[in-house]
Amino acid sequence: MKCIYWILNTHREVKTIIPLTSHPGNYRKNSGQTRIANRTIRHGTGDVNTKKSSMLLQTSFPKFGFAAGTAKRTAELMKRKAPACQPPERPLLPAEWKDLRESLGNQERFDIQMMNTLFRCGSELNIAKSLLTFVAMEKGTLSYELLLRYLTLCVKSGHDDEVYDIYKIMRGSFPSLDTGASSLFIKSFSRTARWREALEILKEIKQVLTPSPRNYGDIIAAAIHHKDATTAWALYDELIEKGLSPHQETWDALFTGSEQHERLLGVLVYMRNNQLYPQQKVANTIKSWFESLDGQKWTAAWSTATPKGACGCCGSELESIQLSAEEYQELKDRVMNDVIQGRDVFNKTTPEELESFKAFVKRKPAFDVVVDGLNVARINPDKTKQSETLLTVVLELERQAPNILVLGRKHMLRPSKSWDRRNMNLIQQKVHCFFTENISEDDPFLLYATLHSGNHCLFVSRDLMRDHKACLPDDVTRRLFFKWQRGHQLVMSIPCFDTIVQTTGDTWHLPYDDTGDRSTYEVPQRWLCLTKKN
C-alpha cells in the first residue's frame, strides 16, 4: 500500500514526518511502497533545487491519530489538584461547630461549604449529621440546598437507609424535588428492595423533562437484579426511543442478568449502528455471556487487528474502512444538502462565493488530494515559516498525487513575514489553488471539493469536523461520515479496516475500550474475537 508523507514543521526546525497511508485508489505516480530516508529538500524561486533549506525527515510511525487516549493525555496532566481540605475528624457539638465557624471568619455559607468539604473528603456520616444538628438548632430549619448536599454524601457513601429518612423529610418539607435530588433517590432506591419506588420518581421526572440515561440505567440494573426482565427491557426500549445512549453499566447489567438472546444481540447491533464501543469490563461480561450459551460452542479471545485488516486471533478479514458506492453516494448527497447548502454555512460564506467555487471545481479534473492550506501552515508555531511549511507539504504530496487542490484565504497572497511571496508563487505553480475571502469558513469548501472529486480523493486537515458531522440528520449518516473521514483524512495513518462491532454469524468482533480517556472521535485498538465452532 502506498504512503503519502506529510511533513510537519515543529519548533524552529522541520524534524518530524508522519507516514500517511493513502486510500487504495491508484495514483499515476510512484506505485508500490515508498520509503524515504533522511535527506535534504531544497526549494526557492524558479528551480526547486536552487535554495538550501535542510529538513530532517524521520520515517517514524506514530500511533494511529484516532487511537484511544491521544486527545486527553495533555489535558489530564493539566488538571489542577483538589484543594486541601481539613474537615473535623469527629462529630462536633453545636458549640464546637460555632467556634469553628468563627475561626473561619463567620462565612456566610459556612454550612454549605462545610458539607461540600465533608463530601469531597469522604468524611464519616456522623460528622455530617452533627453539622445538620448544629444548623437545625441555630436556624430552626434545614435548607433544601443543605439537605441536597447531605443527600449526595449519603448516596455516594452507600448509606441507603439514611436516604429513606431524607426522602421523608424532603417530601414533607418541600412541594417538589429538583431533578438532581430525584436522580439521587433513584440511584439509592435502585440499590435496595424498594427499587420499584424509583419507577414512581422516574414518572415524576418525565412530567417535566426527559430523564437521563443514568436514571433509566439505575432502574434497569435493579430490575435485572430482581429478575424482572420485562420491566428492564421496557425501560431500555423507552431509553432508545427517546434518542438517549445507554451507559456502559446498563449494557453490563443486561448481559449479566438477562437471558433474552435476540435482545442482547440487538444491543450489539445498536453498538455497531451508532459507532459505540463497550469498555473492557463490559467486553468481559459479553465474553462470558457468549461462552455460557447453551448448545453453542463459542471461543473467545482478546485480539488486535493486523495492518492488512485481519483479526490477529482467528484470521477473519475485518470490514473495509472504505465506503461502498451506495454508501458514498448517500453520504455525498447528505453532506451536500445538510452541510454545504445548510444555513449555517452562509454565516461566514456568501452564496455567490460558494457558487464561484463550485464552478471552479467543475472546470478542474477530479482532485486526488485537497489541502486545508491555512490549517496545515499553522502546524508550525513559528509564524515566519508558515508559507515554507505549506510549500514543503505541497512538494511532498505533489511527488505522489497528480492533482492537488490547496484551499487558502486571500490574506495568504499578501506578502508578509508569514506568507513569503516566492513560496506562495511556487505553490500556485505546482498545484491548483483557490483562495476564499478572509472571513469565509474553509471546511465547506474542503468537503465539497473532496466529495465532488470521488471516493478516491483524500483531504489534509487537522480539523475534526465535529460541527459539520453534527449537522447531519441521523445516526446512520453521521456514522458514514465518521467512517469516510477516518478513511480519507490525511492526518494519521489510515487503517484499511473499519473499527466497528461486526459479525458474520459465526463470528463476532467487538472493538472495546481498554482506556478511560478516549475521546468521541478516537477508536479503540483492542478487539474481542468470538468464533462459533460448528
Side-chain angles (χ1 to χ4, degrees), residues 118-138:
L118 295 176
F119 170 78
R120 196 165 54 241
C121 296
S123 299
E124 293 182 3
L125 187 65
N126 285 337
I127 299 176
K129 280 186 175 181
S130 72
L131 175 61
L132 291 183
T133 300
F134 163 63
V135 175
M137 291 181 63
E138 186 172 76

Side-chain angles (χ1 to χ4, degrees), residues 314-325:
C314 70
S316 298
E317 185 176 345
L318 301 174
E319 293 180 30
S320 171
I321 189 63
Q322 302 307 326
L323 274 60
S324 66

Side-chain angles (χ1 to χ4, degrees), residues 187-371:
K187 175 177 284 295
S188 179
F189 285 16
S190 295
R191 298 191 298 224
T192 73
R194 296 174 60 175
W195 69 274
R196 289 190 181 277
E197 294 181 43
L199 285 168
E200 298 303 315
I201 302 175
L202 185 71
K203 290 180 181 178
E204 294 177 6
I205 294 178
K206 287 191 285 188
Q207 294 175 1
V208 181
L209 45 75
T210 300
S212 70
R214 181 69 67 191
N215 296 150
Y216 281 105
D218 288 338
I219 306 178
I220 289 170
I224 290 292
H225 179 73
H226 290 89
K227 309 300 182 183
D228 188 349
T230 301
T231 297
W233 284 109
L235 290 172
Y236 185 82
D237 290 341
E238 186 177 309
L239 182 157
I240 298 299
E241 288 169 4
K242 292 182 179 295
L244 304 174
S245 181
H247 280 241
Q248 296 279 335
E249 292 81 1
T250 303
W251 290 328
D252 192 62
L254 291 172
F255 276 96
T256 298
S258 177
E259 298 179 354
Q260 299 193 28
H261 181 269
E262 293 302 320
R263 294 302 312 264
L264 291 172
L265 291 181
V267 172
L268 298 181
V269 173
Y270 173 83
M271 292 182 188
R272 168 187 172 82
N273 290 339
N274 291 275
Q275 199 81 31
L276 299 172
Y277 310 104
Q279 292 174 354
Q280 186 159 13
K281 181 178 185 296
V282 181
N284 268 307
T285 304
I286 295 172
K287 174 178 178 289
S288 298
W289 179 77
F290 270 96
E291 291 173 331
S292 69
L293 291 175
D294 292 335
Q296 301 185 34
K297 297 181 179 179
W298 287 90
T299 301
W302 307 111
S303 181
T304 57
T306 69
K308 292 184 177 181
C311 173
C313 180
C314 70
S316 298
E317 185 176 345
L318 301 174
E319 293 180 30
S320 171
I321 189 63
Q322 302 307 326
L323 274 60
S324 66
E326 294 76 14
E327 289 176 326
Y328 181 78
Q329 189 59 48
E330 178 184 350
L331 176 65
K332 179 179 176 180
D333 291 343
R334 298 314 309 174
V335 171
M336 293 298 183
N337 291 331
D338 296 298
V339 177
I340 306 302
Q341 303 290 3
R343 294 179 183 177
D344 64 315
V345 170
F346 298 120
N347 290 334
K348 295 183 178 180
T349 302
T350 65
E352 293 77 15
E353 184 177 38
L354 188 56
E355 289 303 316
S356 173
F357 178 68
K358 288 181 180 179
F360 166 84
V361 171
K362 189 175 181 180
R363 294 193 304 268
K364 302 295 182 181
F367 300 116
D368 297 305
V369 181
V370 179
V371 180

Side-chain angles (χ1 to χ4, degrees), residues 28 42 68 73 97 110 117 127 133 144 168 192 205 253 266 268 271 290 299 373 376 403 410 424 447 466 490:
R28 294 192 290 273
R42 307 174 188 276
R73 292 192 180 104
W97 278 116
F110 168 78
T117 298
I127 299 176
T133 300
Y144 186 98
K168 293 177 184 177
T192 73
I205 294 178
L268 298 181
M271 292 182 188
F290 270 96
T299 301
V376 169
N403 293 307
K410 290 184 176 178
M424 297 307 297
L447 290 174
R466 292 191 192 95
L490 295 185

